[in-house]
Amino acid sequence: MGFRCGIVGLPNVGKSTVFNALTKAGAAASNYPFCTIDPNVGIVPVPDERLNKLSAMYQPDKVTPTTLQFVDIAGLVKGASEGEGLGNQFLGHIREVDAILHVVRCFEDENIIHVSGSVGPIRDIEVIDTELCLKDLDTVEKRLDKTEKLARSGDKVAKEQLPVYQKVKEALSQAITARKIGLNDKEKEIIKDLQLLTIKPVLYCCNVSEKDLPGGGPLVNIVRELAQKEGAKIVVISGQVEAELAELADSERESFLAEMGLKESGLNQLIRIGYDLLGLITYFTAGKQEVRAWTIEKHTKAPQAAAVIHTDFERGFIRAEVMRYEDLVSLGNEKTVKEKGLLRVEGKEYVVQDGDVMYFRFNV
């Protein structure tokens, strides 16, 4: 799995249209609030030209890309944290995602109803943030009650946790998201098991009309300014254009994108920016049986990178044989890489680099 992304937004901002286009999963899309009444999950392969080149070189029996999972929930409305609309019952489905994709409507269309009566990106973002804060506040308050009782009884761990929970509660009660509080690493570790929605990194997905591509127009500029203040990322896509793109054959997509003045699809943008947001990289394993991509966090050492293949690889790790992707492609084959002395043998302290082609030696 590359990473898991939960899609949130108000009704009729284009969430399901974007989800459909990105995953081709066929979730219901309609000009009515709450048309998505079950969480839709779509898993898409992560496109990577490096995987294609390795596959051409090794001619494997099987090629396995890493994947990206989207979880699309019903549109949230004001009061969702208290049961308004349908979004509240699905918030639990995004507790375990790695990042939040917040779809924001940045287009005018009198034929598509806006739940608030008009298009207002900042107002819409604030509504969603407030509802997520209220949901998190409920989670923190429940934990705080238990922790206060334990702290009064003299529990050392509870005494350490208590001020952190109180700090987070105070911020959430003022509709300040957990990611904006400025928690240090120790504080983040204390609240980690709460799986707070507002601590997750956010990627704002500005859904625009075709005419506003590729830049996005004035409404996107408003979101861009907000994102810069938050240190968040944005991606500008047109759900309708992505839907058209999804119907094309691979051979036609490049020319279609060029005609639209786009360098890459919305999916590719999301993956590229998402990987950067979460600090992720890809390494490869390659052989006649399979060429495969694996996703890990930056700064991961070799034994932990091996563990994403199988936990036994980490437990019995002996060494890793490593080739740079660039060396392998430029020299044409593994044999020449070895002859040139460019295959390295690395130990437990080796930090895996993006694009490494690896073979792990381990004890059973």
Side-chain angles (χ1 to χ4, degrees):
M1 183 65 67
F3 63 93
R4 296 161 297 177
C5 196
I7 305 178
V8 301
L10 291 172
N12 290 351
V13 298
K15 280 192 319 91
S16 292
T17 299
V18 169
F19 175 81
N20 289 349
L22 297 179
T23 66
K24 302 181 187 178
S30 174
N31 184 23
Y32 301 99
F34 317 130
C35 69
T36 308
I37 58 173
D38 287 307
N40 291 281
V41 178
I43 297 177
V44 297
V46 172
D48 194 322
E49 184 58 30
R50 296 172 299 181
L51 188 68
N52 298 337
K53 289 186 177 180
L54 289 174
S55 300
M57 183 182 300
Y58 281 89
Q59 295 292 305
D61 299 329
K62 183 180 180 183
V63 178
T64 308
T66 188
T67 57
L68 166 61
Q69 177 177 295
F70 289 106
V71 181
D72 177 32
I73 67 170
L76 299 175
V77 294
K78 188 173 182 179
S81 61
E82 298 173 351
E84 290 295 323
L86 295 173
N88 180 58
Q89 60 185 293
F90 300 127
L91 284 174
H93 292 287
I94 59 172
R95 285 230 178 262
E96 295 184 4
V97 300
D98 301 305
I100 300 290
L101 180 66
H102 187 158
V103 180
V104 185
R105 178 170 167 176
C106 292
F107 65 89
E108 300 280 0
D109 189 333
E110 61 184 20
N111 296 314
I112 300 179
I113 303 163
H114 191 290
V115 72
S116 299
S118 62
V119 177
I122 301 301
R123 176 204 60 214
D124 294 355
I125 289 170
E126 289 174 348
V127 168
I128 298 296
D129 276 352
T130 298
E131 294 309 314
L132 297 181
C133 280
L134 290 170
K135 188 67 175 176
D136 280 351
L137 181 60
D138 181 57
T139 301
V140 172
E141 285 179 336
K142 289 176 181 175
R143 177 63 63 86
L144 191 55
D145 287 342
K146 295 179 182 178
T147 306
E148 286 174 338
K149 292 174 184 176
L150 288 169
R152 285 196 295 270
S153 71
D155 187 289
K156 290 183 179 180
V157 175
K159 285 182 177 180
E160 184 179 30
Q161 294 172 335
L162 188 59
V164 181
Y165 293 147
Q166 290 171 332
K167 178 180 181 178
V168 175
K169 176 188 173 182
E170 179 64 25
L172 292 172
S173 64
Q174 298 176 51
I176 298 172
T177 59
R179 62 182 172 274
K180 295 180 185 176
I181 302 173
L183 299 172
N184 59 39
D185 290 342
K186 186 175 181 180
E187 290 171 327
K188 287 178 182 177
E189 189 61 33
I190 287 173
I191 66 167
K192 185 177 180 179
D193 69 320
L194 295 176
Q195 294 184 306
L196 298 181
L197 299 170
T198 63
I199 197 70
K200 299 180 187 297
V202 170
L203 175 57
Y204 291 112
C205 177
C206 297
N207 188 16
V208 304
S209 62
E210 181 180 324
K211 66 181 178 61
D212 286 327
L213 290 173
L219 291 175
V220 170
N221 289 336
I222 294 172
V223 180
R224 186 175 283 118
E225 186 176 339
L226 173 70
Q228 286 175 344
K229 289 178 182 177
E230 291 185 0
K233 304 279 187 179
I234 80 162
V235 58
V236 179
I237 71 173
S238 166
Q240 290 301 324
V241 169
E242 292 298 321
E244 292 177 39
L245 189 63
E247 297 302 318
L248 296 177
D250 291 345
S251 58
E252 299 175 301
R253 289 181 186 176
E254 194 170 326
S255 58
F256 178 83
L257 287 170
E259 289 174 14
M260 298 297 303
L262 301 172
K263 294 181 180 178
E264 58 184 341
S265 68
L267 176 60
N268 282 19
Q269 284 188 69
L270 280 172
I271 291 168
R272 177 174 51 79
I273 296 172
Y275 266 58
D276 181 57
L277 178 70
L278 295 170
L280 302 175
I281 61 171
T282 301
Y283 79 86
F284 304 94
T285 51
K288 184 64 182 72
Q289 286 188 325
E290 183 182 32
V291 169
R292 183 162 183 164
W294 305 89
T295 298
I296 57 173
E297 293 181 1
K298 289 178 181 176
H299 313 302
T300 298
K301 292 183 179 180
Q304 289 69 51
V308 304
I309 300 175
H310 198 288
T311 53
D312 286 348
F313 282 29
E314 179 180 12
R315 284 196 294 267
F317 181 88
I318 300 173
R319 64 181 183 273
E321 297 173 5
V322 186
M323 295 178 286
R324 291 177 67 246
Y325 165 80
E326 293 80 5
D327 292 337
L328 188 55
V329 170
S330 64
L331 294 173
N333 58 67
E334 195 172 304
K335 183 173 180 289
T336 308
V337 171
K338 292 177 180 177
E339 289 173 350
K340 295 285 186 181
L342 295 174
L343 183 144
R344 308 188 315 276
V345 175
E346 302 286 359
K348 293 182 178 180
E349 295 304 309
Y350 176 67
V351 177
V352 178
Q353 302 299 305
D354 186 50
D356 278 351
V357 181
M358 308 187 74
Y359 182 83
F360 297 102
R361 301 283 183 180
F362 67 101
N363 286 318
V364 179

